[in-house]
Amino acid sequence: MIEFDNVSMRFGDLTVLEPFSLSLAERRVAVIGANGSGKSTFARLINGLLAPSTGTVRVDGLCTAKDARAVRRKVGFVFQNPDNQIVYPLVEEDVAFGLKNLKLPKAEIAARVDAVLARYGMESLRLRPAHLLSGGQKQMLAISAVLVMEPAYVVFDEPTTLLDLRNKRRVAAAIAEMPQTAVVVSHDLEFLTDFERVLVFEAGRIVCDAPPAEAVPFYRELMAAEAGGV
Ligand SMILES: Nc1ncnc2c1ncn2[C@@H]1O[C@H](COP(=O)(O)OP(=O)(O)OP(=O)(O)O)[C@@H](O)[C@H]1O
Ligand SMILES: [Mg+2]
Protein backbone atom coordinates (compact mmCIF):
# COMPACT_ATOMS: atom_id res chain seq x y z
CA MET A 1 0.00 0.00 0.00
CA ILE A 2 1.27 3.46 -0.95
CA GLU A 3 -0.10 6.27 1.19
CA PHE A 4 0.16 10.02 0.67
CA ASP A 5 -0.96 12.00 3.68
CA ASN A 6 -1.42 15.74 3.13
CA VAL A 7 1.51 15.77 0.70
CA SER A 8 2.56 18.85 -1.26
CA MET A 9 5.68 19.69 -3.21
CA ARG A 10 7.35 23.03 -3.78
CA PHE A 11 10.60 23.92 -5.48
CA GLY A 12 11.50 27.36 -4.11
CA ASP A 13 8.50 29.59 -4.85
CA LEU A 14 7.04 27.15 -7.37
CA THR A 15 4.27 24.86 -6.10
CA VAL A 16 4.46 21.74 -8.23
CA LEU A 17 1.96 19.57 -6.32
CA GLU A 18 -0.94 21.05 -4.36
CA PRO A 19 -1.73 19.28 -1.04
CA PHE A 20 -3.36 15.89 -1.52
CA SER A 21 -4.04 12.67 0.36
CA LEU A 22 -4.36 9.36 -1.41
CA SER A 23 -3.94 5.61 -0.86
CA LEU A 24 -2.95 3.28 -3.67
CA ALA A 25 -3.69 -0.39 -3.10
CA GLU A 26 -4.29 -1.44 -6.72
CA ARG A 27 -1.68 -3.53 -8.53
CA ARG A 28 -1.77 -1.41 -11.69
CA VAL A 29 -1.97 2.35 -11.32
CA ALA A 30 -1.38 4.75 -14.22
CA VAL A 31 -0.54 8.43 -14.04
CA ILE A 32 -1.37 10.64 -17.03
CA GLY A 33 -1.54 14.39 -17.62
CA ALA A 34 -0.04 17.33 -19.49
CA ASN A 35 3.69 18.02 -19.70
CA GLY A 36 4.81 19.75 -16.51
CA SER A 37 1.68 18.80 -14.56
CA GLY A 38 3.67 17.06 -11.79
CA LYS A 39 3.65 13.39 -12.81
CA SER A 40 7.39 12.72 -12.49
CA THR A 41 7.46 14.64 -9.22
CA PHE A 42 4.63 12.44 -7.91
CA ALA A 43 6.48 9.33 -9.09
CA ARG A 44 9.73 10.39 -7.39
CA LEU A 45 7.94 10.89 -4.09
CA ILE A 46 6.99 7.19 -4.02
CA ASN A 47 10.51 5.83 -3.68
CA GLY A 48 11.94 8.75 -1.74
CA LEU A 49 13.98 10.25 -4.59
CA LEU A 50 12.18 13.41 -3.47
CA ALA A 51 11.00 14.18 0.07
CA PRO A 52 7.65 15.99 0.23
CA SER A 53 7.59 19.68 1.24
CA THR A 54 4.65 18.90 3.56
CA GLY A 55 3.04 15.67 4.71
CA THR A 56 4.28 12.10 4.57
CA VAL A 57 4.56 9.34 1.98
CA ARG A 58 4.51 5.74 3.25
CA VAL A 59 5.07 2.48 1.42
CA ASP A 60 3.85 -0.54 3.40
CA GLY A 61 4.11 1.66 6.46
CA LEU A 62 7.71 2.78 5.78
CA CYS A 63 8.17 6.55 5.63
CA THR A 64 10.04 7.57 2.47
CA ALA A 65 11.85 10.39 4.31
CA LYS A 66 12.81 8.49 7.49
CA ASP A 67 13.27 4.96 6.16
CA ALA A 68 14.80 5.97 2.83
CA ARG A 69 17.10 2.94 2.44
CA ALA A 70 14.40 0.37 3.12
CA VAL A 71 12.04 2.23 0.77
CA ARG A 72 14.63 2.22 -2.05
CA ARG A 73 14.95 -1.55 -1.73
CA LYS A 74 11.20 -2.00 -1.78
CA VAL A 75 10.47 0.37 -4.66
CA GLY A 76 12.30 0.10 -7.98
CA PHE A 77 12.32 3.17 -10.23
CA VAL A 78 12.68 3.27 -14.02
CA PHE A 79 13.64 6.78 -15.09
CA GLN A 80 12.20 8.81 -17.95
CA ASN A 81 15.74 9.20 -19.29
CA PRO A 82 17.63 5.87 -19.17
CA ASP A 83 21.01 7.66 -19.24
CA ASN A 84 20.32 8.55 -15.60
CA GLN A 85 20.31 4.90 -14.72
CA ILE A 86 23.35 3.41 -16.44
CA VAL A 87 26.12 2.82 -13.91
CA TYR A 88 28.51 0.24 -15.37
CA PRO A 89 30.30 0.08 -18.75
CA LEU A 90 28.97 -3.26 -20.00
CA VAL A 91 25.34 -4.27 -20.31
CA GLU A 92 25.69 -7.45 -18.25
CA GLU A 93 27.64 -5.63 -15.52
CA ASP A 94 24.98 -2.98 -15.34
CA VAL A 95 22.24 -5.56 -14.86
CA ALA A 96 24.31 -7.45 -12.25
CA PHE A 97 25.37 -4.42 -10.25
CA GLY A 98 22.43 -4.21 -7.81
CA LEU A 99 22.60 -7.95 -7.09
CA LYS A 100 26.36 -7.70 -6.44
CA ASN A 101 25.64 -4.96 -3.90
CA LEU A 102 23.38 -7.42 -2.10
CA LYS A 103 26.37 -9.82 -2.02
CA LEU A 104 24.36 -12.71 -3.45
CA PRO A 105 26.22 -15.88 -4.48
CA LYS A 106 27.87 -15.59 -7.92
CA ALA A 107 25.86 -18.44 -9.42
CA GLU A 108 22.58 -16.87 -8.36
CA ILE A 109 23.60 -13.49 -9.79
CA ALA A 110 24.55 -15.13 -13.10
CA ALA A 111 21.28 -17.07 -13.27
CA ARG A 112 19.13 -14.00 -12.56
CA VAL A 113 21.05 -11.83 -15.04
CA ASP A 114 20.76 -14.53 -17.74
CA ALA A 115 17.02 -14.88 -17.13
CA VAL A 116 16.31 -11.16 -17.30
CA LEU A 117 18.44 -10.61 -20.43
CA ALA A 118 16.66 -13.49 -22.16
CA ARG A 119 13.26 -12.25 -21.02
CA TYR A 120 13.79 -8.80 -22.53
CA GLY A 121 15.54 -9.84 -25.73
CA MET A 122 18.90 -8.41 -24.59
CA GLU A 123 21.13 -11.50 -24.85
CA SER A 124 22.94 -10.35 -27.97
CA LEU A 125 23.76 -7.03 -26.27
CA ARG A 126 25.21 -8.36 -23.04
CA LEU A 127 28.86 -7.57 -23.80
CA ARG A 128 28.15 -4.24 -25.51
CA PRO A 129 29.13 -0.91 -23.90
CA ALA A 130 25.94 0.33 -22.25
CA HIS A 131 26.46 4.00 -23.15
CA LEU A 132 26.67 3.11 -26.87
CA LEU A 133 23.26 1.42 -26.99
CA SER A 134 20.42 3.09 -28.85
CA GLY A 135 17.86 5.02 -26.79
CA GLY A 136 15.35 2.18 -26.84
CA GLN A 137 18.00 -0.42 -26.00
CA LYS A 138 19.07 1.73 -23.05
CA GLN A 139 15.46 1.88 -21.91
CA MET A 140 15.22 -1.92 -22.04
CA LEU A 141 18.49 -2.15 -20.10
CA ALA A 142 17.19 0.24 -17.43
CA ILE A 143 14.01 -1.81 -17.07
CA SER A 144 16.00 -5.08 -16.88
CA ALA A 145 18.32 -3.67 -14.21
CA VAL A 146 15.36 -2.71 -12.03
CA LEU A 147 13.29 -5.88 -12.52
CA VAL A 148 16.27 -8.18 -11.84
CA MET A 149 16.17 -6.84 -8.26
CA GLU A 150 12.59 -8.10 -7.83
CA PRO A 151 11.38 -5.09 -5.83
CA ALA A 152 7.87 -5.28 -4.33
CA TYR A 153 6.83 -2.11 -6.18
CA VAL A 154 8.04 -0.67 -9.46
CA VAL A 155 7.51 2.92 -10.53
CA PHE A 156 7.93 3.51 -14.27
CA ASP A 157 8.29 7.06 -15.54
CA GLU A 158 7.31 6.89 -19.23
CA PRO A 159 8.85 3.48 -19.90
CA THR A 160 7.75 3.26 -23.54
CA THR A 161 8.56 6.72 -24.90
CA LEU A 162 11.72 5.65 -26.73
CA LEU A 163 10.62 2.17 -27.73
CA ASP A 164 9.74 0.62 -31.07
CA LEU A 165 6.54 -1.40 -31.36
CA ARG A 166 8.19 -4.72 -30.49
CA ASN A 167 9.81 -3.39 -27.35
CA LYS A 168 6.65 -1.48 -26.43
CA ARG A 169 4.80 -4.77 -26.49
CA ARG A 170 7.57 -6.43 -24.47
CA VAL A 171 7.36 -3.77 -21.80
CA ALA A 172 3.55 -3.81 -21.76
CA ALA A 173 3.62 -7.61 -21.44
CA ALA A 174 6.28 -7.46 -18.72
CA ILE A 175 4.24 -4.98 -16.72
CA ALA A 176 1.05 -7.01 -17.24
CA GLU A 177 2.79 -10.19 -16.00
CA MET A 178 4.73 -8.68 -13.12
CA PRO A 179 3.67 -9.99 -9.73
CA GLN A 180 4.67 -6.63 -8.29
CA THR A 181 2.61 -3.51 -7.91
CA ALA A 182 3.33 -1.08 -10.75
CA VAL A 183 2.77 2.66 -10.90
CA VAL A 184 3.26 3.79 -14.49
CA VAL A 185 3.53 7.36 -15.75
CA SER A 186 2.69 7.31 -19.45
CA HIS A 187 1.47 9.37 -22.36
CA ASP A 188 0.68 6.11 -24.13
CA LEU A 189 -3.05 5.78 -23.53
CA GLU A 190 -3.43 2.47 -25.34
CA PHE A 191 -1.13 0.89 -22.85
CA LEU A 192 -3.39 1.72 -19.88
CA THR A 193 -6.59 -0.02 -20.83
CA ASP A 194 -5.94 -2.98 -18.49
CA PHE A 195 -5.00 -0.82 -15.52
CA GLU A 196 -7.22 -0.74 -12.46
CA ARG A 197 -6.87 2.92 -11.63
CA VAL A 198 -5.78 6.06 -13.47
CA LEU A 199 -4.79 9.39 -11.90
CA VAL A 200 -5.04 12.41 -14.19
CA PHE A 201 -2.77 15.32 -13.26
CA GLU A 202 -3.33 18.89 -14.30
CA ALA A 203 -1.24 21.82 -13.00
CA GLY A 204 -0.20 20.01 -9.82
CA ARG A 205 -3.63 18.63 -8.95
CA ILE A 206 -5.23 15.23 -9.39
CA VAL A 207 -8.30 16.20 -11.38
CA CYS A 208 -9.61 12.69 -12.05
CA ASP A 209 -9.10 9.40 -10.17
CA ALA A 210 -11.00 6.62 -11.90
CA PRO A 211 -10.73 3.42 -13.96
CA PRO A 212 -9.39 3.91 -17.52
CA ALA A 213 -12.85 3.80 -19.13
CA GLU A 214 -13.65 7.04 -17.31
CA ALA A 215 -10.22 8.65 -16.86
CA VAL A 216 -8.94 8.36 -20.45
CA PRO A 217 -11.96 10.15 -22.04
CA PHE A 218 -11.73 12.75 -19.25
CA TYR A 219 -8.08 13.38 -20.14
CA ARG A 220 -8.77 13.52 -23.88
CA GLU A 221 -11.48 16.10 -23.29
CA LEU A 222 -9.26 18.13 -20.99
CA MET A 223 -6.49 18.25 -23.62
CA ALA A 224 -8.95 19.03 -26.45
CA ALA A 225 -10.50 21.91 -24.47
CA GLU A 226 -7.08 23.48 -23.89
CA ALA A 227 -5.98 23.10 -27.50
CA GLY A 228 -9.22 24.77 -28.61
CA GLY A 229 -8.53 27.70 -26.30
CA VAL A 230 -5.10 28.54 -27.79
N1 LIG B 1 14.05 19.97 -9.20
C1 LIG B 1 13.21 20.89 -9.68
N2 LIG B 1 13.39 22.21 -9.43
C2 LIG B 1 12.54 23.14 -9.89
N3 LIG B 1 11.43 22.86 -10.61
C3 LIG B 1 11.19 21.57 -10.88
C4 LIG B 1 12.06 20.52 -10.46
N4 LIG B 1 11.54 19.34 -10.88
C5 LIG B 1 10.42 19.64 -11.55
N5 LIG B 1 10.20 20.99 -11.55
C6 LIG B 1 9.06 21.67 -12.17
O1 LIG B 1 7.89 21.04 -11.68
C7 LIG B 1 6.88 20.99 -12.66
C8 LIG B 1 6.42 19.56 -12.83
O2 LIG B 1 7.47 18.78 -13.36
P1 LIG B 1 7.35 17.22 -13.61
O3 LIG B 1 8.65 16.76 -14.11
O4 LIG B 1 6.80 16.58 -12.39
O5 LIG B 1 6.25 17.20 -14.77
P2 LIG B 1 5.71 15.98 -15.65
O6 LIG B 1 4.24 15.96 -15.45
O7 LIG B 1 6.48 14.75 -15.35
O8 LIG B 1 5.99 16.47 -17.15
P3 LIG B 1 6.43 15.63 -18.49
O9 LIG B 1 5.17 15.03 -19.05
O10 LIG B 1 6.95 16.70 -19.39
O11 LIG B 1 7.45 14.63 -18.10
C9 LIG B 1 7.49 21.60 -13.93
O12 LIG B 1 7.06 22.93 -14.01
C10 LIG B 1 8.97 21.51 -13.67
O13 LIG B 1 9.64 22.55 -14.32
MG1 LIG C 1 7.78 13.56 -16.44
Side-chain angles (χ1 to χ4, degrees), residues 39-40 80 157-158 185:
K39 304 179 300 296
S40 293
Q80 191 164 4
D157 193 354
E158 301 195 29
V185 179

Side-chain angles (χ1 to χ4, degrees), residues 153-164:
Y153 296 80
V154 188
V155 179
F156 293 90
D157 193 354
E158 301 195 29
T160 58
T161 322
L162 299 167
L163 302 182
D164 66 29

